Amino acid sequence: MDISVVIPLYNEEESLPELYAWIERVMKENNFSYEVIFINDGSTDGSWKVISQLSEEHECVKGIKFRRNYGKSPALFCGFKEAQGDVVITMDADLQDSPDEIPELYRMITEDGYDLVSGYKQKRYDPLSKTIPTKLFNATARKISGIKNLHDFNCGLKAYRKDVVKNIEVYGEMHRYIPYLAKNAGFDRIGEKVVHHQSRKYGKSKFGLNRFFNGYLDLITLWFLSSFGRKPMHVFGFLGTIMFFIGFIAAAIIGIDKLVAVSNGQQMRLVTDTPYFYISLTMMIIGTQLFLAGFLGDLISRNSSDRNDYQISEEIRCGGNRK
């Protein structure tokens, strides 16, 4: 099969028939073998009824229905698990992503050799309350991830080589960082394509400012896990040691200063009367706690079931046999 189109959705019953008809036309014009996988993320409207009807009329239509709203990342995870196409295309169900982009995205994967191609909505039809936070978010994501050539990490229109979606785990709200997840899994041939962005035709946007703040928190989490997930002692132990050492030296200086004053017959207040003593003591306690946190994190990491889960793209056996 050439292409799997994975479409997560929430309350999009009005747009689904038009979206599928558009996808079908593009596929037939380019002679692609394909499947369309709709993931109904706990919709409260008639979206599932529409999906069921489409699947009865077209055998290439598949549907997954969640019992409640879990979010876009779980929807993509289940869609990726079900996908069978050599190239997997993801798009939103609100008709803001154009299926006319599919042939070129497919070509960039199969001919240009990209592992992942992300859409870039250079000209957007979203309100400023969405576009400005998006620009700030993408600038931060480029800096932290090191993927300098992407302008729009969160664009729903993306194309993937099948191996990519089968070897990454999208969870929580990590759908914003799929290029970063792919890079961490060893798929670093990541490209970008300027795509057409259309104004919303039906319904209303599900975007809220809370997604902007959650996006930054998820980015920090992903950066930490990718950098220190398997070696937490390297960060917590280092910080803890530094803090304990500074606190210990500061406490020692306070004590030595007191002893020198006493030996010279000078009158000085008690060591415990100075705030610097308690600051030093607090730093030593925090340093110890950070060190213990790193130690416990290392123990947990070493006992994790995926501690030796490494991505292997190919093997050569005896006699030159490849696997």
Side-chain angles (χ1 to χ4, degrees):
M1 184 182 297
D2 295 326
I3 297 175
S4 293
V5 183
V6 176
I7 305 174
L9 62 105
Y10 178 70
N11 292 343
E12 300 287 358
E13 63 173 326
E14 294 175 302
S15 64
L16 295 181
E18 185 175 340
L19 176 61
Y20 176 75
W22 195 352
I23 293 172
E24 183 182 42
R25 175 179 61 78
V26 171
M27 296 299 185
K28 288 183 176 179
E29 287 176 354
N30 293 272
N31 296 317
F32 290 136
S33 58
Y34 69 100
E35 64 181 359
V36 180
I37 305 171
F38 291 104
I39 303 94
N40 182 24
D41 186 21
S43 297
T44 55
D45 64 356
S47 293
W48 183 247
K49 184 178 179 180
V50 175
I51 295 170
S52 300
Q53 185 175 349
L54 287 172
S55 67
E56 292 175 1
E57 297 172 356
H58 309 277
E59 63 178 21
C60 61
V61 174
K62 298 180 180 179
I64 298 172
K65 182 183 179 182
F66 287 169
R67 293 186 184 276
R68 65 175 180 85
N69 180 251
Y70 286 100
K72 191 172 183 178
S73 291
L76 288 174
F77 174 81
C78 293
F80 288 163
K81 188 176 180 181
E82 183 67 24
Q84 298 299 318
D86 295 331
V87 174
V88 178
I89 306 286
T90 60
M91 62 173 54
D92 294 334
D94 54 11
L95 295 175
Q96 290 188 287
D97 295 332
S98 172
D100 288 331
E101 307 284 356
I102 290 176
E104 180 60 16
L105 290 170
Y106 178 82
R107 188 199 66 78
M108 292 178 73
I109 296 292
T110 57
E111 296 182 18
D112 292 348
Y114 288 107
D115 295 317
L116 184 157
V117 179
S118 182
Y120 171 32
K121 298 173 182 177
Q122 197 168 27
K123 184 177 180 181
R124 302 183 69 99
Y125 293 93
D126 291 323
L128 288 176
S129 60
K130 184 174 180 179
T131 55
I132 292 177
T134 297
K135 288 182 180 296
L136 293 173
F137 161 76
N138 283 311
T140 305
R142 282 194 299 272
K143 183 70 175 177
I144 293 179
S145 69
I147 307 175
K148 306 295 185 182
N149 62 320
L150 292 192
H151 294 84
D152 192 357
F153 278 72
N154 199 26
C155 178
L157 186 57
K158 289 183 173 68
Y160 311 83
R161 193 178 303 279
K162 183 180 179 180
D163 288 346
V164 176
V165 302
K166 298 301 183 181
N167 287 281
I168 61 173
E169 182 183 3
V170 188
Y171 60 94
E173 294 186 25
M174 293 298 178
H175 59 273
R176 303 178 181 91
Y177 308 111
I178 289 180
Y180 195 7
L181 292 171
K183 178 187 175 184
N184 289 337
F187 301 100
D188 55 1
R189 290 172 293 180
I190 298 172
E192 182 176 74
K193 180 185 183 301
V194 176
V195 297
H196 180 61
H197 184 230
Q198 304 180 123
S199 57
R200 174 179 278 273
K201 190 173 181 179
Y202 305 106
K204 59 181 181 179
S205 174
K206 283 76 176 179
F207 176 83
L209 286 178
N210 63 313
R211 291 171 60 187
F212 175 67
F213 295 110
N214 291 341
Y216 273 106
L217 295 177
D218 289 336
L219 181 59
I220 293 171
T221 299
L222 185 56
W223 169 80
F224 180 83
L225 290 175
S226 63
S227 301
F228 304 104
R230 297 182 187 274
K231 44 187 178 181
M233 192 61 168
H234 287 199
V235 59
F236 288 113
F238 174 75
L239 291 176
T241 301
I242 293 296
M243 289 195 69
F244 182 89
F245 182 75
I246 293 174
F248 179 81
I249 294 299
I253 291 173
I254 294 171
I256 292 171
D257 186 54
K258 173 71 173 180
L259 291 175
V260 170
V262 169
S263 63
N264 292 331
Q266 298 176 0
Q267 187 70 27
M268 287 191 66
R269 59 179 178 175
L270 295 174
V271 170
T272 53
D273 288 341
T274 174
Y276 298 109
F277 172 79
Y278 294 100
I279 293 174
S280 302
L281 187 62
T282 301
M283 290 188 67
M284 292 172 65
I285 293 173
I286 294 176
T288 302
Q289 290 177 330
L290 284 172
F291 187 89
L292 289 176
F295 181 72
L296 293 175
D298 239 28
L299 287 178
I300 294 171
S301 176
R302 290 176 183 274
N303 286 280
S304 173
S305 59
D306 64 347
R307 63 189 179 277
N308 286 319
D309 182 19
Y310 308 113
Q311 300 294 333
I312 299 175
S313 62
E314 191 174 354
E315 294 181 33
I316 298 178
R317 303 288 188 175
C318 293
N321 295 324
R322 293 177 181 271
K323 180 181 178 182

